Amino acid sequence: MRLLATMLVLGCRESPQPGPPPGPLGAADRFAAVDLDGDGRDELVVFADGRASWPENTASLGGAVHVTRRGDLDGDGRETLFVATGRGRDHRDASARVWSLSGEGADLIWEGNDGRNRVTDLRVGSQEIHISLFGADKQVEGGWIREGQFVSTTAAGMAMQQIPLIDGTVVLGRLYGDTPRSDGDLRIRGSDQADRILPTHRGVRTLSSADINGDGHLDLLVADGWHYQYGTQAQARLTLFLGPTFSDRRLMGDIPGEYTINAIELIPGTPSRVLATGTKHIHLFTPSTWGWEVSALAPISETEHATVWRDGTSGFAVLAGETGRAIQIPE
């Protein structure tokens, strides 16, 4: 489906190039933002018809885009966009692939050859890429891409979201439990493969990590209100687990009228804010004296995606689909 761009500009102050990315934005299936040249101002990657287009580059990816993540593996200040592709409505026979998009072009860094065709999650480690693969019997394997091969390290039922931590443990966010119609959970798997289960409301739809309070430790942001009767029983909740132990659990917000949070992205700054993509609206979580304030930024449909675009100073743009609007957000 062709999506017209929605653009939300978040609080530009004194940027020499204020406002949105250079146009035209046009129609697209998805957008992603990445700082390819290290100048602090993002480039925009546009995905449409199985192709990716970005400044001075275009590439055929041979499948539907499932996950995108930005990161700087070698620490040179220039980011790479990592993209997981696979089967989709217009790509029935596509294999699972992981691509790296840089200023020099596109490179295929892994391709699945064992029948598993869905990458459910992708994370950028300090020097490697970690992916989660949906396999037989609803088992999801997590592991690293090393020299073009997938090296599995974890496996858990419906653990669609997985985050490896620097101490060798892995955070597993499970959408469902082990029995039919049971709730999922959040667990920390140690190097001995033993699990420590953290308390959640229900199943985990989306999982992210960030140093949200600036204390030098990664925290977990968890959308933990999933239910198998998601249309009527699921809740769009965002819960914070403070690192390094994740024992301190705090509800950041419960969004009425939405049944889940499909994506979580940190908006860096002082203080940091969180962009949450729901099923009907994009929401902004802003820390306050009494906790977190939640405000709806713009409507969005369940098939659309949002991303944060950074202009190099204090300006951010959130790109989504369908409405073609620009909304200025006050500080």
Coordinates of all heavy atoms in Angstrom, one line a residue, residues 1-7 24-31 44 46-49 65 89 300-307 319-325:
M1 N 0.8 -1.2 0.0 CA 0.0 0.0 0.0 C 0.9 1.2 0.0 O 1.9 1.3 0.7 CB -0.9 0.0 1.2 CG -1.8 1.2 1.3 SD -2.8 1.2 2.8 CE -1.6 1.6 4.0
R2 N 0.5 2.2 -0.8 CA 1.3 3.4 -0.9 C 0.9 4.4 0.3 O -0.3 4.6 0.5 CB 1.0 4.1 -2.2 CG 1.7 3.5 -3.3 CD 3.3 3.6 -3.1 NE 4.0 2.5 -3.7 CZ 4.2 1.4 -3.2 NH1 3.8 1.1 -2.0 NH2 4.9 0.5 -3.8
L3 N 1.9 4.9 1.0 CA 1.6 5.7 2.1 C 2.1 7.1 1.9 O 3.3 7.3 1.5 CB 2.3 5.2 3.4 CG 1.9 3.7 3.7 CD1 2.7 3.3 4.9 CD2 0.4 3.6 3.9
L4 N 1.3 8.1 2.1 CA 1.8 9.5 2.0 C 2.4 9.9 3.3 O 2.0 9.4 4.4 CB 0.6 10.5 1.7 CG -0.2 10.2 0.4 CD1 -1.3 11.2 0.3 CD2 0.8 10.4 -0.8
A5 N 3.4 10.7 3.3 CA 4.2 11.0 4.5 C 3.5 11.9 5.4 O 2.9 12.9 5.1 CB 5.5 11.7 4.0
T6 N 3.6 11.6 6.7 CA 3.2 12.4 7.8 C 4.5 12.9 8.5 O 5.3 12.1 8.8 CB 2.4 11.7 8.8 OG1 1.2 11.3 8.2 CG2 2.0 12.6 10.0
M7 N 4.6 14.2 8.7 CA 5.8 14.7 9.3 C 5.5 15.5 10.5 O 4.6 16.4 10.5 CB 6.5 15.6 8.3 CG 7.8 16.1 8.8 SD 8.6 17.1 7.6 CE 7.3 18.3 7.3
P24 N 11.3 15.9 -2.3 CA 10.0 15.5 -1.8 C 10.0 14.2 -1.1 O 10.7 13.3 -1.4 CB 9.2 15.4 -3.1 CG 10.2 15.0 -4.1 CD 11.5 15.6 -3.7
L25 N 9.1 14.1 0.0 CA 9.0 12.9 0.7 C 8.3 11.8 -0.1 O 8.7 10.7 -0.1 CB 8.3 13.2 2.0 CG 9.0 14.1 3.0 CD1 8.1 14.4 4.2 CD2 10.3 13.6 3.4
G26 N 7.2 12.2 -0.7 CA 6.5 11.2 -1.6 C 5.9 10.1 -0.9 O 5.7 10.0 0.3
A27 N 5.5 9.1 -1.8 CA 4.8 7.9 -1.3 C 5.9 6.8 -0.9 O 6.9 6.7 -1.5 CB 3.9 7.3 -2.3
A28 N 5.6 6.0 0.1 CA 6.5 5.0 0.6 C 5.8 4.0 1.4 O 4.7 4.2 2.0 CB 7.6 5.7 1.4
D29 N 6.4 2.8 1.6 CA 5.9 1.8 2.5 C 6.4 2.1 3.9 O 5.8 1.7 4.9 CB 6.4 0.4 2.0 CG 5.9 0.1 0.6 OD1 4.7 0.4 0.3 OD2 6.7 -0.5 -0.2
R30 N 7.6 2.6 4.0 CA 8.2 2.9 5.3 C 9.3 3.9 5.1 O 9.9 4.0 4.0 CB 8.8 1.6 5.9 CG 9.3 1.7 7.3 CD 10.0 0.4 7.7 NE 9.1 -0.7 7.9 CZ 9.0 -1.4 9.0 NH1 9.6 -1.0 10.1 NH2 8.1 -2.4 9.1
F31 N 9.6 4.6 6.2 CA 10.8 5.5 6.2 C 11.7 5.1 7.4 O 11.3 4.5 8.4 CB 10.3 7.0 6.5 CG 9.5 7.5 5.4 CD1 8.1 7.6 5.5 CD2 10.0 8.0 4.3 CE1 7.3 8.1 4.6 CE2 9.2 8.6 3.3 CZ 7.9 8.6 3.4
L44 N 17.5 10.5 5.1 CA 16.2 9.8 5.1 C 16.3 8.6 4.1 O 16.7 8.8 3.0 CB 15.1 10.7 4.7 CG 13.7 10.1 4.8 CD1 13.3 9.9 6.3 CD2 12.7 11.1 4.2
V46 N 14.0 5.8 2.2 CA 12.6 5.5 1.8 C 12.5 4.1 1.2 O 13.3 3.7 0.3 CB 12.2 6.6 0.7 CG1 10.8 6.3 0.3 CG2 12.4 8.0 1.2
F47 N 11.6 3.4 1.7 CA 11.3 2.0 1.2 C 10.0 1.9 0.5 O 9.0 2.3 1.0 CB 11.3 1.0 2.4 CG 12.5 1.0 3.2 CD1 12.6 1.7 4.4 CD2 13.6 0.2 2.8 CE1 13.8 1.6 5.2 CE2 14.8 0.1 3.6 CZ 14.9 0.9 4.8
A48 N 10.1 1.4 -0.8 CA 8.9 1.3 -1.6 C 9.1 0.2 -2.7 O 10.2 0.2 -3.2 CB 8.5 2.6 -2.3
D49 N 8.1 -0.6 -2.9 CA 8.2 -1.6 -3.9 C 9.4 -2.5 -3.8 O 10.0 -3.0 -4.8 CB 8.2 -1.0 -5.3 CG 6.9 -0.3 -5.7 OD1 5.9 -0.8 -5.2 OD2 6.9 0.7 -6.4
V65 N 10.1 -5.1 4.2 CA 10.9 -4.7 5.3 C 10.2 -5.0 6.6 O 9.0 -4.7 6.8 CB 11.2 -3.2 5.3 CG1 11.9 -2.7 6.5 CG2 11.9 -2.8 4.0
R89 N 3.3 -9.3 1.6 CA 2.2 -9.5 0.6 C 2.6 -9.6 -0.8 O 2.1 -10.3 -1.6 CB 1.2 -8.3 0.8 CG -0.1 -8.4 0.0 CD -0.9 -7.2 0.2 NE -0.2 -5.9 -0.2 CZ -0.7 -4.7 -0.1 NH1 -1.9 -4.6 0.5 NH2 0.0 -3.7 -0.5
I300 N -2.5 7.8 13.4 CA -1.8 6.9 12.6 C -2.6 5.6 12.4 O -3.3 5.3 13.4 CB -0.4 6.6 13.2 CG1 0.5 5.8 12.2 CG2 -0.5 5.8 14.5 CD1 2.0 5.7 12.6
S301 N -2.5 4.9 11.3 CA -3.2 3.7 11.2 C -2.4 2.5 11.6 O -1.2 2.6 11.8 CB -3.7 3.5 9.7 OG -2.6 3.1 8.9
E302 N -3.0 1.3 11.7 CA -2.3 0.2 12.2 C -1.3 -0.4 11.2 O -0.4 -1.1 11.6 CB -3.3 -0.9 12.6 CG -4.2 -0.6 13.7 CD -5.1 -1.7 14.1 OE1 -4.6 -2.9 14.2 OE2 -6.3 -1.5 14.4
T303 N -1.3 0.0 10.0 CA -0.4 -0.5 9.0 C 0.7 0.5 8.7 O 1.6 0.2 7.9 CB -1.1 -0.7 7.6 OG1 -1.7 0.5 7.2 CG2 -2.2 -1.8 7.8
E304 N 0.7 1.6 9.4 CA 1.8 2.7 9.2 C 2.9 2.6 10.2 O 2.8 1.9 11.3 CB 1.1 4.0 9.3 CG 0.1 4.3 8.1 CD -0.7 5.5 8.3 OE1 -0.7 6.1 9.4 OE2 -1.3 5.9 7.3
H305 N 4.0 3.2 9.9 CA 5.2 3.2 10.7 C 5.7 4.6 11.0 O 5.4 5.5 10.1 CB 6.3 2.4 10.1 CG 5.9 1.0 9.7 ND1 6.1 0.0 10.6 CD2 5.4 0.5 8.6 CE1 5.6 -1.1 10.0 NE2 5.2 -0.9 8.8
A306 N 6.3 4.8 12.1 CA 6.8 6.2 12.4 C 8.3 6.0 12.7 O 8.8 5.0 13.2 CB 6.1 6.8 13.6
T307 N 9.1 7.1 12.4 CA 10.5 7.1 12.8 C 10.9 8.5 13.3 O 10.2 9.5 13.0 CB 11.4 6.7 11.6 OG1 12.7 6.4 12.0 CG2 11.4 7.8 10.5
L319 N 8.4 10.7 11.1 CA 7.8 10.5 9.8 C 6.8 9.3 9.9 O 7.2 8.2 10.5 CB 8.8 10.2 8.8 CG 9.9 11.3 8.6 CD1 10.9 10.9 7.6 CD2 9.2 12.6 8.2
A320 N 5.6 9.4 9.3 CA 4.7 8.3 9.3 C 4.0 8.3 8.0 O 4.5 8.9 7.0 CB 3.8 8.3 10.5
G321 N 2.8 7.8 7.9 CA 2.1 7.7 6.6 C 0.8 8.3 6.6 O 0.2 8.7 7.6
E322 N 0.3 8.5 5.4 CA -1.1 8.7 5.1 C -1.7 10.1 5.1 O -2.4 10.5 4.2 CB -2.0 7.8 5.9 CG -3.4 7.6 5.4 CD -4.2 6.5 6.1 OE1 -4.7 6.8 7.2 OE2 -4.2 5.4 5.5
T323 N -1.4 10.9 6.1 CA -2.1 12.2 6.2 C -1.3 13.3 5.6 O -2.0 14.3 5.3 CB -2.3 12.5 7.7 OG1 -1.0 12.6 8.4 CG2 -3.2 11.5 8.4
G324 N 0.0 13.2 5.4 CA 0.7 14.3 4.7 C 0.7 15.6 5.5 O 0.7 16.7 4.8
R325 N 0.7 15.6 6.8 CA 0.7 16.8 7.6 C 2.0 17.1 8.3 O 2.8 16.2 8.5 CB -0.4 16.7 8.7 CG -1.8 16.6 8.2 CD -2.8 16.5 9.3 NE -2.7 15.3 10.1 CZ -2.6 15.3 11.4 NH1 -2.7 16.5 12.1 NH2 -2.5 14.2 12.1

